[in-house]
Amino acid sequence: MRTPSLRFVSVALAATLVAAACADSPEADELVDGVSGDTPSSVTTTLDDGAGPASDDPTGTLTPPATPPEPDPTPLPIDEDYRIGTLDNGLTYLLRSNDTPGASLDLRLVVNAGSLQQDTPDDGSAHFLEHMLFNGTEAFPGNELTTQLQRLGISFGADVNAYTSYDETVYLLAATTTEPTAPDIAFDVLAEWASNATIDPADVESEIGIVRDELRQGRETVEGFTFTRFEEIYTEGTPYEGRIVVGDAALVEATDAATLRAFYETWYRPDNMAVVVVGDLPLDEMEREVTSRLSGLTNPPTPLERIDVDIPLDPEPIANIIVHPDNGADNLSLDIPLPVWDTGTVGGERMTLIESAVAIMLSTRLQEAFQRGDLDLDREPSISAFSVNRGLRYYGTNLQAPELDVALDSYLSHLLLAAQTGFSDEDVERVKQLLLSDLDDELASLNSTQDWQYAGELSAHFLEGAAADDAERRISRQRAVVESFGSEELTNHWRWILEESGPIVIAVGDDETDLPTPERLLDVLDSVIPAGATEAAQVIDQLMLAPERAPLQSESSRDTFNGPVAEWTFANGVVVSHQESKISEGNVFVAMASTGGWSALAEPDASLATAAVDAVLGSGVGPHDPATLERYLESRSTSLVATIDEWSETIGGSSSSADVEDLFALINLTITEPRVDEISLRSVSRAATTTLELAETNPDIRAGEVLSNLLYPDDDRYQFLHTAEEIAELDADELLGVFDDRFGEADDLHVAIVGDIGADEAFELAARYLGTLPVGEADTWVDLGVRLPTTAVSGDVVLTAGTADGGLQRVDWVIGQPSARDEVTGALLATIATSRTLETIREALGASYGASVSVTADREGPGALTSFATVSGDPARRDEIEIAFQEILTDLSETGPTADEFDRAVAVAATDYEFVNNGIFLDGNLAATRFPDVDVLQSDQRFAILESLSPDDIRTMAAALYGDAASVTVSKVLP
């Protein structure tokens, strides 16, 4: 007899129900403890420093076992706007014309093979081959392919153009149709990838260092070590076992061209591949392009032999611990296996929706328990479905708490309560309204569906048989499914999952002695009983009464290429801009900012300002506690974030067009009636403690701390970490005071509204909820007297033995207000510097997997143009990497880019500028009102500025940023 899942489904439930009739009966104890069965799995993984309704049966007997689902296998229809066909050689093509955003194409080569298909399980050959397809094909030898992609305006970098998983390998291109040759070349590239990879032995040898560095980041960091162990635990005993995508280090270092060629010729064959094309071309033209280039490909004579990944659910629980000396924050993962449904069928779609509904109801219960103080966790919990690969799905959650085994018991008791009592009609009605609201929001935004969204759907249809139905028909069908949900069906499904699925419980930390043992975790699973029933959160029907409309002081407007922008100033000084945009139909975005930041506090403190925001945003607003607020907002598409930076405070939010008044009411209450409650204060304090603990071990957090200390030496005001003493002294009144100081008065508040909302409605909401905010004395940012280093300074972070994620971070800056021209020039410089770093350190030296350079324009405070660079790499080659990177920056500052580098960067920027979104409008409009005397970049200007630039402009900016001695560099080094 196998051990039942969680055991408590058939044991603890029975014990709890029986207890009503025989609380003192010894038979009850025997019922709990007398289950026989196989011994559950328990493993310790260590890296040390050297390496439905409740039963009304009066007898108290358990309700009958849950009924297994029998999904309807009827296939779902295919959207008539998709053209899906198969060439004579078996290659599948999946096409769709789409004019959103327009003038663009999304193209993909989809290969139905990944690490699962490798002859040697852990050699990483599928992933290594993905790299090689960017290292030469017959038509694009060497690195000509990446150069050609940039000339088409396609950026290239780590993880940008392809990915490999256990089950598939996908290559991605995005091209503009405004450049006449771009579509032809993009189709040529797809055809070359499908059939003409060169896989030169010398190129393979030079690529080993690059793939090895990616493996270093993926498996030899604390995160990588932990992630790898999770993957190993998930896949143990399945066909995926031993097939981690990036591979084993020794096997990767021994990779040869013959192995890669064998994988390419076996799996990159027409009858195992698909081409996906979505965008602004007629379907007939797309079909002609695919047919002309790919119909001549042939298949090997040997048929494919695929591995079956139909993995049954197993009721046996598993417990593990994972220990790494850099894992500073103890936490616990709980994952409950789920079936893998055929989502291309009527039944599979229904089961997926059922599981979404169950997860939402469980999360709501858990969150309300946390907000009541019934769950002693460090942060609000939730549960959601995720996939490791095609064969493995889970409900997953992560817990942080002072005592992980106690937290696990408490957490599970609430999951078990849902199985014992069943989901109520009220629970089901709430989740139905939430899911229906989401479907309504999706329906409202259908006309703004992007190329990549359709391409993703088509790729999943080819690989997994996922649904590819007409969206309106699908939404209508799914609405009917959701509306049919009842408490009995949803409760039955949750009980069935618990009966069939043994959970995986994994405790993670830096010291084995501080973690519960696997045996203790299994004991918790064995003995947990349902939590006691509690009162539900209060139900409200509105956040606040709408205030009276405030008087308008002045108004103006300006025309842009993307439509008019209205500007309203109210008597309290609040300035609001509005731009209607249909880019994302059915959605509205709001951004607001005022000047001052934490520099204007009586006692400036960056970490205290962050804690104040976190505490307030977790505490509800006005008369509404967090549970009441969350219950009200759960069926409304409304979200809000806030920050207090050194020189400004900001609030950002979004909502569906239907829920926009709730967004404005939430903003008003957050500003006028903030609150800090005990649970939120506890969460903030524990989060600060966790960060402090991580800073002692985690190399990336330590690198950030070193960088901050180098920029602001011996200045506690700028430290992003609290001390232990400061954490102990965190006070609700103090945090509330900090938040109210910076947000409580509308002295110089500027607001931008962008999205699917007309001017009349936007004005009405602004006049009522923003124009009525309290007036305060005007203030501004304060110069704290800090001056950045004037010389080159550097610092090291020493890696823990057994950890090998080297690399550097570097910051360069120019103080002063940047112009619109500077912003465009900076974008070109960043592209050129990144490209050259990849070409030199990655491709030529083989010393790095990834590099990135960004140049940002900041107008807050005194203003600055800042370059931030990261280069990964082998820590043993630290000096080589630093010297090479410095030579790149020096050459750019002295001689500038080549004509070809400049032209490629311009092409990339032009492609980027073709695609506008609401975020661009939001940022530009907010900056235009806040800095009326500054040359602020607007989307209208970008092409004109781009056309006016020359390579010498890049050299001039590079000289300003990199030509003097002022910079800060932090490197991660070996012990």
Side-chain angles (χ1 to χ4, degrees), residues 231 234 339-340 384-394 464:
E231 295 277 296
Y234 290 145
V340 176
S384 60
F386 71 96
S387 297
V388 174
N389 44 46
R390 287 186 204 167
L392 296 171
R393 290 180 67 234
Y394 300 90
E464 306 170 35

Side-chain angles (χ1 to χ4, degrees), residues 470-490:
D470 169 75
E472 289 191 31
R473 184 169 58 198
R474 171 182 57 79
I475 291 170
S476 177
R477 182 179 63 248
Q478 290 180 348
R479 284 189 61 88
V481 171
V482 170
E483 288 169 344
S484 74
F485 286 166
S487 59
E488 184 174 349
E489 180 182 25
L490 299 184

Side-chain angles (χ1 to χ4, degrees), residues 725-783:
E725 293 76 13
E726 289 171 335
I727 294 170
E729 294 174 357
L730 286 176
D731 176 79
D733 290 338
E734 180 184 24
L735 296 179
L736 187 58
V738 168
F739 187 91
D740 191 57
D741 183 287
R742 299 321 314 145
F743 289 103
E745 297 173 336
D747 49 88
D748 67 335
L749 185 63
H750 290 76
V751 184
I753 305 169
V754 172
D756 193 1
I757 180 173
D760 291 344
E761 184 180 6
F763 175 80
E764 183 74 12
L765 294 171
R768 292 184 180 276
Y769 292 97
L770 304 179
T772 56
L773 293 173
V775 182
E777 292 184 10
D779 63 2
T780 187
W781 64 278
V782 176
D783 186 344

Side-chain angles (χ1 to χ4, degrees), residues 762-916:
F763 175 80
E764 183 74 12
L765 294 171
R768 292 184 180 276
Y769 292 97
L770 304 179
T772 56
L773 293 173
V775 182
E777 292 184 10
D779 63 2
T780 187
W781 64 278
V782 176
D783 186 344
L784 300 177
V786 175
R787 298 297 177 262
L788 296 177
T790 58
T791 60
V793 295
S794 61
D796 292 341
V797 172
V798 180
L799 297 168
T800 306
T803 306
D805 57 323
L808 64 85
Q809 299 177 2
R810 172 168 166 159
V811 182
D812 298 80
W813 59 87
V814 177
I815 301 298
Q817 283 292 335
S819 66
R821 187 179 182 86
D822 288 335
E823 290 195 54
V824 179
T825 306
L828 295 185
L829 174 58
T831 298
I832 293 166
T834 299
S835 179
R836 191 180 286 195
T837 303
L838 289 170
E839 291 168 359
T840 302
I841 302 177
R842 173 182 161 119
E843 301 299 334
L845 298 180
S848 171
Y849 167 64
S852 174
V853 180
S854 64
V855 178
T856 58
D858 186 4
R859 293 190 170 81
E860 303 293 349
L865 195 69
T866 305
S867 168
F868 181 75
T870 61
V871 185
S872 70
D874 184 347
R877 302 177 70 178
R878 173 257 188 102
D879 292 343
E880 183 182 2
I881 291 170
E882 286 193 8
I883 291 170
F885 188 58
Q886 180 60 57
E887 289 176 348
I888 290 168
L889 300 183
T890 299
D891 185 66
L892 284 173
S893 65
E894 293 178 351
T895 64
T898 66
D900 184 57
E901 284 179 317
F902 178 79
D903 289 343
R904 283 188 278 148
V906 169
V908 170
T911 300
D912 289 343
Y913 292 167
E914 288 283 353
F915 304 109
V916 294

Side-chain angles (χ1 to χ4, degrees), residues 20 118 147 229 254 264 301 334 338 466 529 565 778 824 878 913 927 956:
Q118 295 164 174
T147 301
R229 282 299 297 125
Y264 185 69
L334 171 67
L338 295 174
I529 63 174
V565 177
V824 179
R878 173 257 188 102
Y913 292 167
T956 300

Side-chain angles (χ1 to χ4, degrees), residues 52-55 63 66-67 350 354 357-358 361-362 365 417-432 481-496:
S55 171
T63 53
T67 304
R350 182 180 186 86
I354 286 175
V358 169
M361 291 188 293
L362 292 174
R365 287 177 177 237
L417 178 64
Q420 179 202 49
T421 63
F423 298 115
S424 69
D425 291 341
E426 182 190 1
D427 291 334
V428 175
E429 192 58 35
R430 286 171 60 196
V431 78
K432 286 165 66 172
V481 171
V482 170
E483 288 169 344
S484 74
F485 286 166
S487 59
E488 184 174 349
E489 180 182 25
L490 299 184
T491 299
N492 177 80
H493 192 70
W494 176 227
R495 288 174 174 165
W496 177 77

